[in-house]
Amino acid sequence: VVEGGSTMTGNGNVDAQPEVLCCIGELADRLQNATITEIEFMTTAFSKGAGGTISMRVRWNEAVTVTGTPHFVINNTTDAARHQTCLYVSGSGTNELIFGKTLGAASADINANDVLNVIANPIAHNGGSTIKDKGTSTNSEITSSTAIGTAAGTLTIAA
């Protein structure tokens, strides 16, 4: 399912109906593992002075089940030493997983004017965590293309 108004549909109308990809079982070319279809910054503004939570949403082509705490690395284009690692927060059993990282006010982990973006393959398993296709319980693809990361845009940190 691709949400209406998403950059993946090419339709900026947030009131549009979701696009649904259907598959009939037992066909030679049926869907296999759950795959990432979209990544987006849920946080649209962040201030170093105020702190807060940086949140990411990852959409899959079908529902997935999460065990453990996978993580999502956000690239800091300003300084690689300040990449941000968001931990899994919620969404198991749905096609949308939420990852987040909370930073205190004036945190040394981030600076004003840092520019954050999403690179290809930002999700990794942490300590035996899994993300599995809910229907068949096979391991889901946790890789994504550069285009999916680019479509997420950037987040510039305010002072």
Side-chain angles (χ1 to χ4, degrees):
V1 175
V2 177
E3 300 296 327
S6 97
T7 55
M8 298 298 286
T9 66
N11 178 351
N13 180 0
V14 295
D15 295 323
Q17 294 294 315
E19 295 180 17
V20 179
L21 174 65
C22 296
C23 179
I24 300 171
E26 303 308 321
L27 294 178
D29 293 329
R30 68 182 184 263
L31 291 174
Q32 298 296 319
N33 300 350
T35 57
I36 296 170
T37 59
E38 183 178 19
I39 297 172
E40 67 179 319
F41 277 101
M42 295 175 64
T43 304
T44 57
F46 190 90
S47 165
K48 175 180 174 73
T53 300
I54 298 173
S55 298
M56 303 300 300
R57 180 183 341 231
V58 179
R59 286 196 176 100
W60 304 78
N61 65 334
E62 60 184 293
V64 294
T65 302
V66 177
T67 59
T69 310
H71 60 263
F72 185 107
V73 176
I74 300 174
N75 184 50
N76 186 320
T77 64
T78 311
D79 186 340
R82 292 192 301 271
H83 291 329
Q84 300 301 314
T85 301
C86 298
L87 298 179
Y88 166 72
V89 175
S90 66
S92 186
T94 73
N95 74 317
E96 294 184 352
L97 300 183
I98 307 299
F99 294 82
K101 178 168 185 179
T102 301
L103 295 163
S107 172
D109 289 341
I110 202 158
N111 285 344
N113 299 316
D114 279 355
V115 178
L116 308 180
N117 71 356
V118 177
I119 58 172
N121 309 322
I123 299 175
H125 289 300
N126 182 21
S129 66
T130 64
I131 300 174
K132 292 189 174 189
D133 172 312
K134 187 175 177 187
T136 63
S137 295
T138 58
N139 286 327
S140 299
E141 296 292 328
I142 60 169
T143 60
S144 61
S145 70
T146 301
I148 290 175
T150 301
T154 62
L155 175 64
T156 301
I157 307 303

